């Protein structure tokens, strides 16, 4: 039996950003654990902890060696490897040598009905001591490290420079080297409460001593510690807080000290968003009454130690910041909000596409192109034009320069103070929505249109400039922009031909290249497919509808919803698939044989059943009206298709399509093409496997 021990690895770093622990847990840890499996390491479970100064991996019951590996490599057929005299050929000798075995040790096994030579390789597992450093370094190199730093000549990159490494397997030190730092059995305590170095005997001793050295390494425990302190000092019954933001702040202290602070009366009169932004800029936690009105109290979290003096010093700094905010708002409001548009000329948007002012001018042209395909009433048109002219005007303000998190918010506040109506002022902020996955969408129609225009402009501007999005490599967040674009279109049922609008947007950039247009459409519809997959829409249904609808996302969405409902309703969905698959298959066979059926001629119909099929087709051809833009009664269309099975089955039973008479054959194929074209108005049903219908 292989001996098993616990393994603890601590990577000590310069202060990490608050997002790093969550990011590494989501992106690095899966890579690390998959490499453990790939390297054949036995282990019980893997726990990951993080603080502002350290990252900790704790592996329970790790095996002291890799599992031994026995591999069978299939080689040449026996007739090529052994001659008529029973001797191994040069091919067999070469095969055996390339895998480090002797020819006489080759085995004979059967593969796909043929006997072949097989080399059996046995690889002894290496000690965990010798491979853990490889696994750790490889896992980090395989993970995208945002804004990774280098601090010596070896080229190793990480979020922040590594300053120490503890690595213990049982009582043994595991030899690891990252960024020029070698591992040992010592770590450091809390920088304020217990700053000295301490040595550890084994992983359990490390965890015990870390806690005694005032390191709350479990982020969940740390957050609950902060909540308990707030409950005790502020009274949980009277105030609430943004817990997601509080989690972020809890990641900035290894042993949080919580203090309750208070705003000055004159500062509480500022807009809630402004006060909250100032508090958060200094890593405080705003508190709110149950009515969501900002409380005069707020939370300050310190590293290790609080107290009256520290709290008062913090409050003085925050009061000064509040005075800055008051001054900035007064200064900003001395100019009309509309006048800030000229200052956008001084803010660069893109090296190739100019300033933010130039970008807003493109918004206006894209809006003009969009209006050709959408029926927007006069009042909405005026509101949208005003929103576009104002939507970026808060960027040059002093408030946004000092508090970037208020971008959009300050625009809404200033627009309202300048007398613009609620729809316009709210849209100045909401045209940024959704900002991330799961975020709220713009509330008004006007805000949705401006958000859509801004997203189209951004996607096109970067893709025209040859920006590539591959895997996790998406530095400009184009996936997020496209996801939001689709969500807005679906939420407001914005019916317009997306390809034509993309083409109009490219014309604004002076770029009408068809390849670029196709690349952008493919990128957007890849995001559509990913969203649908995330909702659990089956691959066959996605492919079937997207094969015929890649122009209007609303039509695509409605067809998919109708098809899913139809299948799930138990309405003999196979009655759609079976006849169509039979029709599609015979047309496919004809195409593979190079048969061109030509046009259909009713006078060439000879057999009773083919005449009946044509009569049925003629009587049903009007169902395509159900798919018209003004109708879009997809459920009724699917119901009508259910009646095709009997007549098509009878046609294939009674009529030989691929007969010797060329005219009859081609005419029957032409009839099937007409029927196939009718089916394809909705979806390519041949792409839906029968098993998916059964599962539905």
């Amino acid at each position: 039996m292989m001996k098993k021990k616990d393994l603890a690895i601590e990577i000590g770093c310069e202060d990490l950003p608050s997002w790093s622990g969550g990011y590494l847990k989501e992106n690095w840890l899966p890579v690390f654990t998959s490499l453990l499996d790939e390297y054949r390491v036995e282990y019980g479970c893997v726990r990951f902890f993080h603080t502002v100064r350290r990252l900790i991996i704790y592996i329970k019951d790790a095996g002291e060696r890799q599992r031994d590996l026995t591999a069978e490599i299939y080689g040449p057929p026996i007739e090529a490897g052994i001659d008529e005299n029973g001797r191994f050929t040069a091919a067999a000798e070469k095969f055996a040598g390339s895998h480090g075995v002797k020819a006489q040790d080759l085995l004979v096994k059967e593969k796909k009905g043929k006997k072949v030579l097989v080399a059996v390789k046995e690889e002894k597992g290496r000690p965990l001591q010798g491979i853990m450093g490889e696994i750790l370094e490889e896992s980090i190199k395989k993970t995208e490290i945002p804004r990774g730093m280098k601090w010596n000549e070896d080229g190793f990159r990480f979020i922040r420079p590594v300053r120490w490494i503890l690595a213990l397997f049982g009582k043994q030190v595991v030899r690891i080297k990252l960024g020029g730092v070698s591992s040992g059995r010592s770590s450091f305590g809390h920088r304020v409460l217990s700053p000295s170095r301490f040595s550890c005997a084994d992983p359990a001793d490390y965890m015990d001593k870390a806690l005694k050295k005032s390191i709350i390494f479990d982020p969940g425990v740390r957050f609950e510690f902060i909540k308990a302190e707030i409950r005790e000092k502020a009274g949980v019954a009277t105030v609430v807080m943004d817990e997601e933001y509080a989690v972020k702040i809890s990641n900035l202290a290894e042993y949080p000290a919580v203090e309750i602070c208070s705003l000055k009366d004159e500062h509480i009169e500022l807009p809630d968003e402004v006060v909250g932004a100032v508090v958060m800029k200094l890593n405080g936690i705003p508190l709110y009454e149950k009515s969501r009105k900002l409380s005069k109290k707020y939370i300050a979290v310190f590293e290790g130690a609080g107290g009256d003096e520290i709290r008062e010093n913090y409050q003085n700094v925050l009061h000064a910041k509040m005075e800055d905010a008051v001054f900035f708002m007064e200064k900003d409001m001395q100019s009309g909000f509309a006048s800030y548009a000229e200052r956008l000329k001084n803010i660069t948007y893109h090296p190739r596409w100019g300033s933010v002012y130039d970008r807003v001018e493109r918004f206006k042209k894209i809006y003009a192109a969009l209006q050709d395909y959408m029926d927007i009433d006069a009042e909405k048109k005026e509101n949208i034009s005003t929103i576009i002219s104002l939507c970026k005007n808060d960027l040059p303000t002093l408030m946004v320069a000092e508090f970037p998190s208020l971008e959009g918010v300050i625009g809404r506040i200033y627009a309202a103070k300048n007398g613009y109506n609620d729809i316009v002022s709210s849209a100045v902020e909401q045209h940024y929505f959704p900002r991330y996955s799961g975020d709220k969408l713009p509330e008004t129609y006007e805000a949705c249109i401006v958000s859509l225009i801004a997203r189209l402009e951004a996607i096109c501007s970067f893709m025209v400039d040859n920006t590539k999005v591959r895997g996790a490599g998406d530095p400009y967040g184009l996936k997020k922009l496209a996801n939001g674009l689709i969500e807005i279109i679906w939420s407001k049922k914005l019916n317009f031909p997306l390809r034509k609008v993309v083409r109009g947007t490219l014309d604004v950039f002076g770029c009408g290249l068809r390849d670029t247009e196709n690349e952008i459409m493919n990128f957007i519809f890849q995001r559509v497919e990913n969203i649908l997959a995330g909702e659990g829409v089956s691959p066959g249904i996605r492919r079937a509808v997207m094969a015929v609808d890649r122009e209007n996302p609303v039509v695509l969405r409605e067809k998919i919803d109708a098809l899913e409902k139809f299948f799930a309703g138990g309405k003999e969905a196979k009655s759609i698939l079976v006849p169509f698959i039979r029709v599609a298959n015979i047309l496919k066979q004809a195409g593979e044989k190079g048969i061109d059926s030509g046009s259909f001629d009713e006078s060439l119909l000879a057999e009773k059943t083919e005449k009946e099929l044509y009569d049925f087709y003629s009587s049903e051809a009007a169902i395509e009206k159900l798919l018209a833009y003004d109708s879009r009664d997809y459920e009724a269309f699917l119901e009508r298709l259910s009646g095709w099975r009997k007549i098509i089955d009878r046609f294939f039973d009674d009529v030989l399509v691929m007969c010797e008479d060329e005219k009859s054959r081609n005419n029957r194929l032409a009839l099937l093409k007409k029927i196939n074209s009718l089916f394809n108005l909705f979806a390519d049903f041949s792409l839906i496997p029968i098993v998916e219908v059964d599962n539905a």
Side-chain angles (χ1 to χ4, degrees):
M1 293 289 291
M2 186 185 296
K3 291 182 180 179
K4 295 183 177 181
K5 306 171 188 174
D6 290 356
L7 170 66
I9 300 173
E10 178 194 69
I11 304 174
C13 302
E14 292 186 7
D15 284 18
L16 293 159
S18 61
W19 54 264
S20 56
Y23 178 85
L24 293 171
K25 183 175 183 178
E26 184 177 340
N27 295 277
W28 170 49
L29 192 61
V31 178
F32 178 79
T33 53
S34 69
L35 284 175
L36 290 179
D37 297 331
E38 188 178 318
Y39 274 74
R40 310 191 310 278
V41 175
E42 293 186 356
Y43 58 94
C45 66
V46 178
R47 298 291 305 278
F48 176 67
F49 307 104
H50 58 86
T51 77
V52 68
R53 295 181 72 202
R54 64 197 83 219
L55 306 166
I56 303 165
I57 291 178
Y58 196 99
I59 304 176
K60 193 76 176 169
D61 296 329
E64 63 181 355
R65 304 179 67 85
Q66 293 174 292
R67 292 188 301 274
D68 294 340
L69 177 66
T70 300
E72 293 184 347
I73 302 102
Y74 289 85
I78 191 169
E79 56 267 22
I82 299 177
D83 64 21
E84 63 273 11
N85 298 317
R87 290 192 292 266
F88 290 106
T89 64
E93 295 281 358
K94 185 176 180 181
F95 168 67
S98 66
H99 294 288
V101 300
K102 296 179 180 178
Q104 55 265 36
D105 293 329
L106 295 173
L107 303 179
V108 177
K109 292 197 174 186
E110 193 170 289
K111 181 182 180 184
K112 295 183 179 178
K114 293 184 178 181
K115 290 184 177 181
V116 297
L117 296 178
V118 177
V120 178
K121 292 180 67 176
E122 293 187 357
E123 183 181 326
K124 283 288 186 184
R126 294 159 59 194
L128 187 70
Q129 279 270 9
I131 62 171
M132 186 48 65
E134 296 175 25
I135 294 173
L136 192 65
E137 184 172 6
E138 186 178 345
S139 67
I140 293 173
K141 287 182 177 178
K142 284 186 172 181
T143 304
E144 183 181 4
I145 303 297
R147 300 182 292 279
M149 300 174 66
K150 292 191 293 186
W151 56 93
N152 61 14
E153 293 76 26
D154 69 1
F156 181 79
R157 298 171 62 91
F158 202 55
I159 297 172
R160 291 292 184 270
V162 175
R163 292 304 180 221
W164 77 86
I165 302 171
L166 173 143
L168 294 173
F169 179 52
K171 295 186 180 299
Q172 298 175 307
V173 173
V174 181
R175 299 304 171 192
I176 292 172
K177 191 170 185 178
L178 295 175
V181 179
S182 298
S183 60
R185 63 170 65 249
S186 61
S187 180
F188 292 87
H190 189 278
R191 61 156 53 99
V192 176
L193 302 177
S194 184
S196 60
R197 181 190 291 267
F198 63 93
S199 182
C200 306
D202 54 38
D205 185 46
Y206 160 71
M207 304 299 270
D208 180 57
K209 285 182 177 175
L211 288 171
K212 290 175 179 175
K213 297 288 185 179
S214 303
I215 300 163
I216 305 178
F217 48 76
D218 187 322
V221 172
R222 205 162 50 240
F223 177 58
E224 290 301 325
F225 180 84
I226 285 180
K227 281 174 63 176
E229 289 285 288
I230 293 173
R231 273 197 299 268
E232 180 181 337
K233 296 183 177 182
V236 72
T238 58
V239 292
V240 294
M241 63 180 173
D242 182 342
E243 291 204 355
E244 187 176 338
Y245 178 73
V247 167
K248 173 184 173 183
I249 297 303
S250 74
N251 289 332
L252 297 176
E254 292 194 313
Y255 192 93
V258 174
E259 294 290 343
I260 304 296
C261 303
S262 294
L263 296 162
K264 288 184 176 180
D265 290 338
E266 60 266 32
H267 295 154
I268 200 69
E269 298 302 319
L270 289 167
D272 286 358
E273 299 90 344
V274 172
V275 176
V278 176
V279 171
M280 289 190 287
K281 188 175 179 67
L282 294 180
N283 292 330
I285 303 175
L287 297 176
Y288 298 86
E289 306 294 343
K290 286 191 173 180
S291 63
R292 295 306 298 172
K293 172 66 179 172
L294 189 72
S295 170
K296 191 175 180 180
K297 297 177 182 177
Y298 65 95
I299 300 296
V301 178
F302 303 105
E303 180 64 287
D308 293 343
E309 184 178 353
I310 292 175
R311 183 182 68 251
E312 288 175 11
N313 289 338
Y314 179 87
Q315 284 188 152
N316 289 336
V317 173
L318 189 126
H319 293 332
K321 279 290 182 187
M322 286 293 182
E323 288 300 320
D324 289 345
V326 171
F327 171 78
F328 292 150
M329 287 192 71
E330 290 175 350
K331 189 74 173 174
D332 286 339
M333 291 298 295
Q334 289 176 6
S335 302
F337 190 47
S339 70
Y340 279 89
E342 281 297 311
R343 306 185 196 186
L344 295 176
K345 293 178 179 179
N346 300 320
I347 303 175
T348 300
Y349 166 62
H350 188 285
R352 182 174 175 183
W353 306 122
S355 66
V356 177
Y357 180 91
D358 298 324
R359 187 183 187 206
V360 172
E361 291 300 301
R362 287 193 293 273
F363 287 178
K364 295 174 183 177
K365 294 176 182 176
I366 295 168
Y367 176 45
L370 186 65
Q371 288 183 67
D372 292 340
Y373 306 105
M374 300 186 70
D375 185 17
I376 306 174
D377 65 45
E379 184 180 357
K380 285 186 172 67
K381 281 183 179 179
E382 184 177 351
N383 281 337
I384 293 169
S385 295
T386 305
I387 295 162
I388 289 173
S389 68
L390 298 175
C391 66
K392 301 299 179 184
N393 280 14
D394 61 350
L395 294 181
T397 63
L398 294 172
M399 280 297 288
V400 170
E402 182 67 19
F403 305 105
S405 65
L406 289 175
E407 181 180 343
V409 174
I410 282 297
R412 173 189 29 97
I413 292 170
Y414 287 176
K417 286 182 178 293
N418 276 252
Y420 292 99
N421 65 49
D422 289 343
I423 289 175
V424 170
S425 56
S426 65
V428 172
E429 176 185 9
Q430 292 184 17
H431 88 282
Y432 288 101
F433 298 171
R435 295 156 296 185
Y436 49 83
S437 177
D439 189 23
K440 56 190 174 184
L441 299 177
E443 294 174 3
T444 64
Y445 180 88
E446 291 91 333
C448 285
I449 293 296
V450 179
S451 180
L452 184 148
I453 290 169
R455 289 165 193 276
L456 275 174
E457 191 276 344
I459 292 168
C460 290
S461 67
F462 285 103
M463 295 192 76
V464 167
D465 198 45
N466 207 31
T467 298
K468 302 298 181 185
V469 180
R470 295 188 179 92
D474 185 18
Y476 301 107
L478 300 188
K479 291 180 185 177
K480 180 176 66 176
L481 290 171
N483 286 349
L485 175 80
I486 297 303
E487 289 172 12
I488 289 169
I489 290 173
W490 284 346
S491 72
K492 294 294 183 183
K493 295 187 180 298
L494 300 177
N495 278 302
F496 62 89
L498 183 57
R499 180 179 288 276
K500 290 182 179 179
V501 173
V502 167
R503 189 176 300 160
T505 303
L506 291 174
D507 289 341
V508 170
F509 285 95
C511 172
L513 295 176
R514 200 55 175 273
D515 288 346
T516 307
E517 177 186 316
N518 290 335
E519 183 182 1
I520 291 169
M521 290 298 294
N522 289 338
F523 170 70
I524 291 174
F525 274 90
Q526 181 60 57
R527 305 317 306 162
V528 169
E529 185 161 13
N530 285 0
I531 293 171
L532 294 171
E535 294 176 2
V537 178
S538 68
I541 289 177
R542 299 197 308 265
R543 288 195 298 265
V545 179
M546 292 183 74
V548 300
D549 275 299
R550 294 177 66 87
E551 304 296 317
N552 188 321
V554 170
V555 169
L556 184 146
R557 173 90 254 185
E558 290 175 349
K559 284 186 176 181
I560 283 176
D561 290 345
L563 200 52
E564 282 203 302
K565 182 179 179 182
F566 186 82
F567 283 175
K571 300 176 181 177
E572 299 182 2
K574 286 184 184 178
S575 61
I576 294 177
L577 299 183
V578 174
F580 180 81
I581 290 171
R582 297 191 73 178
V583 171
N585 283 343
I586 200 165
L587 291 173
K588 181 180 178 182
Q589 292 168 15
E592 290 172 349
K593 293 178 180 179
I595 298 173
D596 182 8
S597 61
S599 58
F600 172 73
D601 184 351
E602 184 181 357
S603 67
L604 293 177
L605 296 176
E607 306 226 8
K608 177 185 176 184
T609 308
E610 64 181 338
K611 291 178 180 179
E612 290 175 349
L613 177 61
Y614 177 66
D615 289 342
F616 186 85
Y617 163 77
S618 300
S619 67
E620 287 291 298
I623 65 172
E624 66 179 88
K625 293 180 181 178
L626 296 172
L627 302 180
Y629 180 82
D630 294 335
S631 176
R632 304 206 309 277
D633 194 346
Y634 301 127
E635 291 185 27
F637 181 87
L638 292 172
E639 290 284 356
R640 293 279 289 275
L641 287 185
S642 301
W644 285 81
R645 181 169 189 170
K646 288 183 180 179
I647 184 63
I648 290 180
D649 283 348
R650 196 161 70 248
F651 171 78
F652 282 114
D653 289 342
D654 297 349
V655 178
L656 179 61
V657 177
M658 306 298 282
C659 61
E660 292 184 4
D661 182 72
E662 184 176 340
K663 284 188 176 181
S664 295
R665 180 200 67 194
N666 289 353
N667 200 55
R668 289 165 184 168
L669 289 171
L671 173 58
L672 293 179
K673 267 189 178 180
K674 292 172 76 69
I675 294 169
N676 193 47
S677 297
L678 183 61
F679 280 34
N680 276 346
L681 290 172
F682 186 95
D684 186 348
F685 292 106
S686 68
L687 297 175
I688 305 176
I690 294 291
V691 66
E692 285 192 12
V693 185
D694 293 337
N695 290 340

